[in-house]
Amino acid sequence: PAPTPAPTPEPMPAPTPAPTGPNLSYSDSDVSIDVMGHSGKMTISASNDQIEQTDIVVLMDSIAEVDAGGSTIGNTGPNDGKHSRNTFANTDFTFGELIQTSVSGIAASSLTFSTTLIDGTATLSVITYIFMESGVITPTSGSESFNVKAGTVKFNVQVENWPFCTANDDGTPCQNNIGTAIELAITVTGDLKVILNGQTLGTPGDGDLILSNEVFVDDLWQAMEVGYPALDDSTEGKSTITIRIPTFTEKGIYDPLVDLVVLAPTPAPTMPTSMPTAKPLSTPTSEPIPAPTPAPTPEPVPAPTPAPTPEPMPAPTPAP
């Protein structure tokens, strides 16, 4: 009989791409992120079997180009061409793929969502990270360092290819105004303690909003202009942070952290990595055994006295 052919292997299914559509969710380490595709509103939630769910909402509030005096410019003409936007409520965002990456060597899951501005010339992107382990990161120039744990969320706000107004732009929307920076307002809603330059602003709540005072401009991290980031927390439960990114050729980036209070399950006891050094046992001292008493030396026996030598007998006198 002809040999039986080998069975045809089942085809491997293609990897599932990151979900796309009007909204997107992903989670890790008791923390989840939900993003609305129609406004870019991001909800960060934390919960486990020890705490109730905590929600923090992050919203890109507004963006505007400003001149040296801080006045908004480039805001005339059709909306799509303006160099400012007072709200992102009706702005569509698109999603990238969920990837596994690391920041300063600390493992994290990452997702990017973005939109285009100014007639499609510029791009605003929000790059989110959920850390999967504890460690210390130095995401900026190295002069700042931040402690993270499993569940800490970091997000970069990145603006690329912004066509800053110049004195030669005499038409709309610039009208010969000169742009010197972009101001981006980010509103965070929730019971958060704000930390800036190591200084705590507000009272402890469900987590920390940790602000950097540095921005990335093209290929260089630099200190933000004095007075920025500016914080408005006059409304209870809401903080609006305004950052200022000076003119750039390619891109500008800002990099804050959100650290929610998540109580991790009590870990199982672990064995110590090294055993303690045992204290040596003292050897009991035994009583010395006395040396045996030597046998007494016997008195020497005197040699026997030799018998006296007999006197020789005289020979007998012969008879006459």
Side-chain angles (χ1 to χ4, degrees):
T4 304
T8 304
E10 293 288 328
M12 295 295 291
T16 304
T20 57
N23 302 313
L24 187 142
S25 300
Y26 79 106
S27 62
D28 213 329
S29 304
D30 298 328
V31 172
S32 64
I33 295 179
D34 298 283
V35 183
M36 294 184 65
H38 197 52
S39 64
K41 182 168 72 173
M42 177 170 60
T43 301
I44 305 169
S45 303
S47 65
N48 60 23
D49 56 358
Q50 298 188 41
I51 62 170
E52 296 181 358
Q53 180 166 317
T54 299
D55 291 335
I56 300 298
V57 177
V58 180
L59 180 66
M60 301 300 110
D61 205 5
S62 64
I63 191 168
E65 184 174 339
V66 297
D67 61 15
S71 298
T72 299
I73 62 173
N75 58 345
T76 60
N79 283 333
D80 289 346
K82 288 182 179 180
H83 288 216
S84 64
R85 185 165 296 195
N86 294 326
T87 179
F88 287 90
N90 297 315
T91 302
D92 289 328
F93 284 78
T94 58
F95 303 103
E97 293 186 354
L98 178 64
I99 63 172
Q100 301 303 311
T101 185
S102 65
V103 179
S104 300
I106 309 301
S109 299
S110 178
L111 177 79
T112 299
F113 56 99
S114 58
T115 189
T116 57
L117 303 168
I118 313 178
D119 289 329
T121 302
T123 303
L124 171 67
S125 301
V126 181
I127 307 164
T128 64
Y129 301 86
I130 299 179
F131 287 97
M132 301 169 65
E133 57 185 351
S134 299
V136 178
I137 62 171
T138 53
T140 56
S141 65
S143 63
E144 298 177 318
S145 62
F146 305 99
N147 293 314
V148 299
K149 63 178 183 295
T152 297
V153 173
K154 183 174 86 68
F155 61 95
N156 294 350
V157 181
Q158 177 174 287
V159 183
E160 297 176 278
N161 303 319
W162 188 276
F164 286 92
C165 292
T166 69
N168 297 324
D169 295 329
D170 55 359
T172 56
C174 291
Q175 298 180 333
N176 302 112
N177 289 297
I178 301 173
T180 60
I182 293 171
E183 283 193 357
L184 175 65
I186 304 169
T187 296
V188 181
T189 304
D191 189 12
L192 285 175
K193 174 180 65 179
V194 179
I195 300 175
L196 174 60
N197 295 333
Q199 181 180 357
T200 299
L201 309 174
T203 57
D206 293 327
D208 297 335
L209 173 61
I210 305 170
L211 302 179
S212 168
N213 68 346
E214 294 188 3
V215 287
F216 184 84
V217 179
D218 289 328
D219 295 321
L220 181 68
W221 286 103
Q222 63 184 60
M224 206 176 300
E225 184 177 329
V226 174
Y228 291 88
L231 175 66
D232 178 4
D233 58 355
S234 56
T235 302
E236 185 176 357
K238 178 186 289 188
S239 299
T240 299
I241 305 101
T242 302
I243 63 172
R244 180 171 282 191
I245 305 174
T247 55
F248 53 84
T249 302
E250 295 182 0
K251 60 185 174 183
I253 300 174
Y254 185 61
D255 193 2
L257 285 172
V258 175
D259 195 2
L260 298 181
V261 176
V262 178
L263 301 177
T266 304
T270 57
M271 295 296 291
T273 55
S274 60
M275 296 299 292
T277 304
K279 184 178 180 181
L281 296 174
S282 58
T283 304
T285 305
S286 56
E287 290 293 326
I289 300 174
T293 304
T297 305
E299 292 290 327
V301 178
T305 304
T309 304
E311 293 288 331
M313 294 294 290
T317 306

